[in-house]
Amino acid sequence: MLINPAVFKAYDIRGVYPADINEDFAYKLGFAYADLRQQEEKKDNLTILVSRDMRISSPSLHASLIKGLLESGIDVIDIGLAST
């Protein structure tokens, strides 16, 4: 999957599902984010809180993101559906 760099904004990630953002993207994002945070914090035992919104695509993107985080060694607190 080619990642569209335009999805990365100053304070969030925005794109069209599934053209710009899909489950593969979410998995890779989780894995890469975990690696970045581990390097920045200089430790492996980090915990990240994850939530999602009410869009139809959110449950599968949420699950893929969490899978990427977990497979990179990050602990995840999943709070499920939340507002912004």
Side-chain angles (χ1 to χ4, degrees):
M1 168 186 185
L2 291 175
I3 294 177
N4 179 357
V7 301
F8 296 99
K9 308 299 182 191
Y11 298 101
D12 61 4
I13 298 170
R14 294 187 177 266
V16 176
Y17 177 84
D20 296 321
I21 297 173
N22 59 30
E23 290 73 16
D24 184 48
F25 173 88
Y27 172 82
K28 289 176 180 174
L29 178 66
F31 203 92
Y33 181 74
D35 184 53
L36 174 69
R37 295 298 300 148
Q38 288 166 332
Q39 288 180 36
E40 288 177 344
E41 297 295 326
K42 296 180 179 36
K43 57 184 177 178
D44 295 329
N45 59 336
L46 298 175
T47 301
I48 295 177
L49 184 136
V50 178
S51 68
R52 62 179 172 84
D53 64 17
M54 79 293 191
R55 284 175 264 200
I56 293 171
S57 58
S58 291
S60 62
L61 293 172
H62 181 85
S64 295
L65 178 72
I66 289 173
K67 182 178 179 185
L69 291 166
L70 291 171
E71 289 185 5
S72 70
I74 295 287
D75 291 324
V76 173
I77 298 173
D78 179 1
I79 65 167
L81 186 63
S83 64
T84 55

